[in-house]
Amino acid sequence: MEFYQHYSEFLGKHNIYKTLTTIKRYIYIEAIILILLLILVGIGMYFFVKDTITNNIPLSEAYFEWPFILMISSLAGLYIYMAIDRRRQFIDIKKRVGYFKQNMVGVILFGINWDSIVLKYHWFDSLYNNYIFLNNKELEFFKSQNDKELAIKTIPKFPFNLSSLISISSPIISTLSFILLTFGITGKEQNVMIILILLLISPIFFAVIMFIRDNFNEKKSDYKNMQNYSSVLDYILEKRKMNSSLQNEELIAS
């Protein structure tokens, strides 16, 4: 087996997600559901803005019109869908791995922490068994080739901290709400303020940020995958040495 073939398998069928989960994914169906919900949110938001700002419909009336109901129900659908999917992931991984430091609420809110030591070493152990057919010389060669590439790469850095941005959005929403209630803003200004608050708490705001981050994440993932690959091979080689030493000790003792 060539290095590129082995590394491709590592990224494909031996990646951490496929190794640690048994959930059967229907990628296209899931994508269609998410896109449909986002389209419905967009339609509801567009007509809500049109009713309140362009047509000057009072908010007390706009809240009971179909655009607002569609927008809110679609937003709720997005959050419920994400919560169900993450809960399903948590239960599946807990069943496979056993002890898992994250709790269900943490997973629903923030997703699976794939950098967890527990998950990583469970993954390493699984790969140890999968790579049993490869000898040490092959693994050492694959590691040396990977490390040469890794040495000339630089660590990708995101231009701003996403967690901080999300944290900042909360006080912004609170401030806008305070201004809205304290100074009694009315008319178009009030409608604009409320729409801005809705945008900041909706998945659309986070989807835009995540889209920007995903473009950066491709480089980050490449670097992280190479680091993980090197760590996996180190782990397998070290564990083989340890097992070999233990076997020798048992033979001597017997």
Side-chain angles (χ1 to χ4, degrees):
M1 182 184 287
E2 300 292 335
F3 167 69
Y4 71 90
Q5 292 174 314
H6 188 262
Y7 187 63
S8 295
E9 281 196 359
F10 170 79
L11 296 178
K13 66 182 182 181
H14 295 318
N15 66 65
I16 189 168
Y17 181 83
K18 288 187 178 178
T19 303
L20 297 185
T21 59
T22 56
I23 296 170
K24 190 174 181 180
R25 305 288 300 196
Y26 299 94
I27 303 297
Y28 295 112
I29 295 173
E30 290 177 1
I32 290 168
I33 292 170
L34 288 173
I35 290 168
L36 180 62
L37 285 170
L38 284 170
I39 289 170
L40 291 174
V41 171
I43 291 170
M45 193 166 287
Y46 170 77
F47 283 102
F48 179 70
V49 170
K50 188 177 179 182
D51 285 348
T52 54
I53 294 180
T54 308
N55 300 332
N56 289 322
I57 294 176
L59 284 170
S60 56
E61 294 179 19
Y63 288 149
F64 299 98
E65 297 293 327
W66 70 266
F68 182 78
I69 295 168
L70 176 65
M71 178 178 64
I72 293 301
S73 58
S74 300
L75 285 174
L78 275 171
Y79 283 120
I80 291 168
Y81 179 83
M82 288 188 288
I84 291 170
D85 189 59
R86 287 178 176 180
R87 179 182 177 274
R88 189 175 55 183
Q89 270 191 358
F90 173 81
I91 292 170
D92 192 50
I93 288 175
K94 188 93 172 177
K95 193 185 296 181
R96 293 287 300 277
V97 177
Y99 174 79
F100 185 35
K101 193 174 180 180
Q102 271 185 294
N103 56 42
M104 189 180 291
V105 174
V107 170
I108 289 172
L109 291 175
F110 307 109
I112 298 288
N113 176 20
W114 297 108
D115 289 326
S116 161
I117 292 175
V118 173
L119 294 190
K120 273 200 170 182
Y121 278 91
H122 189 279
W123 177 37
F124 288 1
D125 273 326
S126 298
L127 292 182
Y128 178 84
N129 296 322
N130 286 328
Y131 291 170
I132 202 76
F133 61 92
L134 291 171
N135 62 49
N136 287 357
K137 290 293 181 186
E138 286 177 299
L139 294 180
E140 286 167 1
F141 172 73
F142 294 155
K143 185 179 184 312
S144 68
Q145 296 305 303
N146 179 75
D147 288 352
K148 283 177 187 176
E149 289 293 321
L150 193 59
I152 59 175
K153 285 183 174 288
T154 54
I155 302 173
K157 291 185 179 178
F158 195 50
F160 54 88
N161 189 306
L162 189 63
S163 299
S164 298
L165 183 66
I166 293 170
S167 301
I168 290 167
S169 66
S170 296
I172 289 175
I173 293 168
S174 302
T175 304
L176 289 174
S177 302
F178 176 78
I179 292 169
L180 186 66
L181 293 169
T182 306
F183 297 100
I185 297 172
T186 57
K188 285 188 177 182
E189 289 78 9
Q190 185 189 53
N191 296 345
V192 170
M193 192 77 75
I194 288 173
I195 289 162
L196 184 58
I197 292 169
L198 287 169
L199 280 169
L200 285 170
I201 64 173
S202 76
I204 293 175
F205 170 72
F206 297 111
V208 171
I209 300 300
M210 295 299 280
F211 175 76
I212 295 168
R213 193 184 71 169
D214 284 344
N215 291 326
F216 156 81
N217 269 354
E218 189 174 344
K219 291 180 181 178
K220 184 180 175 183
S221 294
D222 287 344
Y223 189 85
K224 198 170 182 181
N225 285 332
M226 293 181 79
Q227 283 184 315
N228 283 334
Y229 183 69
S230 184
S231 298
V232 164
L233 297 184
D234 263 338
Y235 178 81
I236 293 169
L237 290 167
E238 289 297 324
K239 190 169 181 178
R240 284 183 181 180
K241 284 179 186 176
M242 182 185 72
N243 289 342
S244 178
S245 297
L246 288 173
Q247 286 172 1
N248 290 335
E249 286 176 10
E250 287 173 2
L251 285 171
I252 292 167
S254 62

